[in-house]
Amino acid sequence: MNKVDFLDISIISHIRIDNPDRLDNFVIRNEFYKEHCINLEFVHVEDGDISKCGDAITKDDIHRLTNNTGEYRKNGSYNIGETLTKRKYLLFLDVDCVLDPNIIKALAESYADTAVVYPYKSVLYSTKKFAKRFQDENQLKILTSSHATDHGRMFTDSCGGAILMSRDMFVKTGGFNPNFSGWGYEDSEYRDRCLKLGTRIVRPSENITMLHLYHGYHSFVRNKQALTIETRKNSQEYKKVLGMNKEQCVEHMKKWGIYED
């Protein structure tokens, strides 16, 4: 088996171990890429003050604690992760998500210099049984056979889980909005802000499926935006950005210290 060379690609993840499935998925995902890739670089930004990952993080990985003990901040962690790598292409990948590395490499080389890439068309939120099968087999072919509805729930038009771009594109789009905390609206805000900026967005032409590993019943429920205080704040930030024109977006992004003219 020829392994995929990830020499130019860094896999950046936000980590908050909030249940046992999350840690299991983190291990399953990492072992899959270790099996099928060479020259891997994992950047793990763990959102807390004490690591809960144990042996799941190895000496070859880049690991940083945020010292944040409040609501998790995925966007802020992603922005930290970008500063910890020198590689050209950045794959911001959830710990529960798995994609064919051949697809990632091909899309990076073809589009990530000039576009923000969502390297999938659909997402399979797997059953626990299918997640276990994937763990046991650890084979690329299982990703291409994951369209059957008995393996979980299939969604299209998602804008979270995996985002691929060059380092230059990260800077041009201002990185991720750090004003979000907890869960809700942060993925939609990034996509819609990119559209306001006139940034090209690319998805694969064929029906590539991303596997989202099971992590409790809530992994099947797409609309999880309950009316928590944090979600309401996120909604307000999202609506504020939606109401901006391109120039106002740029001024907003400058406050984060990432965007460069």
Side-chain angles (χ1 to χ4, degrees):
M1 178 185 68
N2 292 325
K3 294 192 175 186
V4 184
D5 192 346
F6 263 40
L7 182 63
D8 293 328
I9 302 171
S10 183
I11 299 177
I12 301 174
S13 300
H14 161 269
I15 310 170
R16 173 68 70 93
I17 303 300
D18 52 3
N19 65 51
D21 287 333
R22 191 84 68 187
L23 183 56
D24 289 344
N25 292 349
F26 182 51
V27 173
I28 293 167
R29 188 206 69 170
N30 293 351
E31 289 302 316
F32 173 82
Y33 284 104
K34 289 175 184 177
E35 176 69 22
H36 296 285
C37 302
I38 59 172
N39 294 317
L40 273 173
E41 179 183 83
F42 287 119
V43 176
H44 309 308
V45 183
E46 190 169 358
D47 208 356
D49 60 343
I50 299 174
S51 180
K52 297 182 179 180
C53 293
D55 295 338
I57 294 176
T58 72
K59 61 179 178 59
D60 296 322
D61 300 339
I62 299 171
H63 178 240
R64 176 71 58 86
L65 283 168
T66 65
N67 293 316
N68 169 38
T69 58
E71 288 286 336
Y72 70 81
R73 295 182 176 273
K74 182 179 79 173
N75 282 4
S77 296
Y78 275 169
N79 292 343
I80 291 170
E82 184 272 340
T83 69
L84 301 178
T85 177
K86 297 184 182 299
R87 294 198 175 185
K88 182 177 182 180
Y89 298 115
L90 312 174
L91 175 65
F92 297 95
L93 186 66
D94 283 3
V95 298
D96 306 296
C97 293
V98 187
L99 279 157
D100 184 337
N102 294 285
I103 298 296
I104 295 168
K105 183 176 174 65
L107 290 171
E109 293 176 344
S110 298
Y111 299 108
D113 288 308
T114 59
V116 168
V117 182
Y118 292 96
Y120 58 89
K121 271 201 169 182
S122 55
V123 182
L124 177 73
Y125 285 75
S126 80
T127 62
K128 191 167 188 175
K129 180 179 179 180
F130 189 74
K132 181 64 167 62
R133 178 186 163 194
F134 180 79
Q135 178 183 15
D136 292 342
E137 296 186 20
N138 196 20
Q139 295 295 320
L140 280 171
K141 63 183 180 181
I142 200 172
L143 292 179
T144 60
S145 67
S146 61
H147 297 276
T149 55
D150 60 344
H151 295 159
R153 293 187 65 186
M154 193 76 75
F155 294 103
T156 58
D157 301 321
S158 176
C159 57
I163 308 176
L164 175 66
M165 68 192 82
S166 68
R167 178 183 304 283
D168 288 344
M169 186 57 61
F170 177 86
V171 173
K172 288 178 181 177
T173 59
F176 296 96
N177 188 334
N179 296 320
F180 287 88
S181 60
W183 191 92
Y185 299 99
E186 72 281 357
D187 296 323
S188 298
E189 187 272 348
Y190 183 72
R191 176 200 60 198
D192 294 342
R193 177 160 44 87
C194 285
L195 291 172
K196 283 182 178 290
L197 295 170
T199 304
R200 184 185 180 199
I201 292 178
V202 169
R203 288 186 186 270
S205 56
E206 62 271 36
N207 188 23
I208 302 301
T209 298
M210 178 170 70
L211 177 61
H212 187 287
L213 296 165
Y214 179 92
H215 54 83
Y217 170 75
H218 59 286
S219 67
F220 280 92
V221 183
R222 196 177 194 188
N223 183 18
K224 297 177 287 185
Q225 296 171 358
L227 293 178
T228 64
I229 293 175
E230 295 301 325
T231 302
R232 289 197 293 269
K233 290 179 181 177
N234 289 353
S235 176
Q236 291 169 3
E237 175 68 13
Y238 176 51
K239 290 176 181 177
K240 181 171 73 172
V241 172
L242 279 184
M244 294 177 179
N245 58 32
K246 179 178 179 179
E247 291 71 24
Q248 290 169 330
C249 272
V250 168
E251 291 304 311
H252 195 47
M253 293 188 303
K254 286 180 179 178
K255 301 172 186 175
W256 312 336
I258 296 170
Y259 176 81
E260 295 178 5
D261 292 310

